[in-house]
Amino acid sequence: MMVRSGKPAMRFGTLMSAVVLLVFAGRTAWPQAAPPALGLQEQGTQAAPPPSTPALSAPPAREENPGLINEMGKLFDKLPSILPAIKSPSETMNDLSRLAKPSTMVSGRVACPASANGAPDCKQAADQLCQTKGYREGKSLNADSAEKCSAKVLIPGRQRKPDDCRTDTFVTSALCQN
């Protein structure tokens, strides 16, 4: 939570209390290690001889620590099997060059004819626009529509009928390919 106050003393007090909380929380959260032995022994105890390990034995098994760092380490160990292989820059460029076709953007104005369901067929208009510029086919990038009405609409006092006007759609720019 962020405290915003116009008083600098209030901000400083909030900052100091957060620092104190972190320091005390850090002290209680970390386990204390045993004090180091300085070579002195108590009178009743004897030092145990160090365990002898053969030179060819396996290293001792690591004790499992269920902490956050241990879990993140396990995740990083599994990452290479989860993620796909990373391609070199030259392989990536080769893949992109195979996908990309040379194309050019052209502008013009070609009406989209009506398809069987009554909607405008702008793919056909984009192809037609590209063919006028010397290309084989195209995809519509930008379209414009306008309402075209008969002169009957301009007669004063005449009721407008549904078939007096129609909306025409035009392709104004297309991406053309050979």
Side-chain angles (χ1 to χ4, degrees):
M1 175 168 53
M2 183 174 226
V3 177
R4 293 185 183 234
S5 172
K7 300 177 184 174
M10 190 70 158
R11 281 187 272 171
F12 180 72
T14 304
L15 178 65
M16 290 307 294
S17 57
V19 168
V20 168
L21 283 173
L22 286 174
V23 167
F24 284 120
R27 284 188 179 179
T28 59
W30 296 101
Q32 296 289 327
L38 300 175
L40 301 175
Q41 296 179 2
E42 292 181 19
Q43 283 189 346
T45 62
Q46 293 181 353
S52 62
T53 56
L56 299 176
S57 69
R62 192 172 67 145
E63 184 179 319
E64 189 68 26
N65 183 3
L68 176 66
I69 302 297
N70 186 39
E71 294 300 319
M72 288 178 67
K74 288 179 186 177
L75 176 68
F76 285 124
D77 289 342
K78 293 178 185 176
L79 270 181
S81 64
I82 296 171
L83 296 176
I86 297 175
K87 294 182 179 182
S88 69
S90 63
E91 291 173 331
T92 305
M93 290 305 294
N94 289 340
D95 290 347
L96 287 176
S97 66
R98 273 185 258 139
L99 291 175
K101 297 178 184 175
S103 56
T104 304
M105 189 180 97
V106 297
S107 341
R109 187 171 172 93
V110 176
C112 300
S115 63
N117 65 357
D121 183 13
C122 291
K123 170 65 174 142
Q124 185 179 350
D127 289 343
Q128 191 177 8
L129 177 61
C130 288
Q131 288 167 1
T132 61
K133 305 290 183 178
Y135 295 96
R136 188 181 55 173
E137 66 174 345
K139 293 182 182 180
S140 173
L141 289 179
N142 196 11
D144 189 19
S145 59
E147 188 174 51
K148 186 174 183 181
C149 299
S150 68
K152 296 177 188 176
V153 174
L154 301 174
I155 299 174
R158 181 178 179 277
Q159 287 290 342
R160 188 171 175 175
K161 296 183 182 170
D163 61 342
D164 284 344
C165 297
R166 72 172 191 265
T167 303
D168 290 335
T169 307
F170 301 92
V171 172
T172 56
S173 62
L175 191 64
C176 301
Q177 297 174 348
N178 281 331

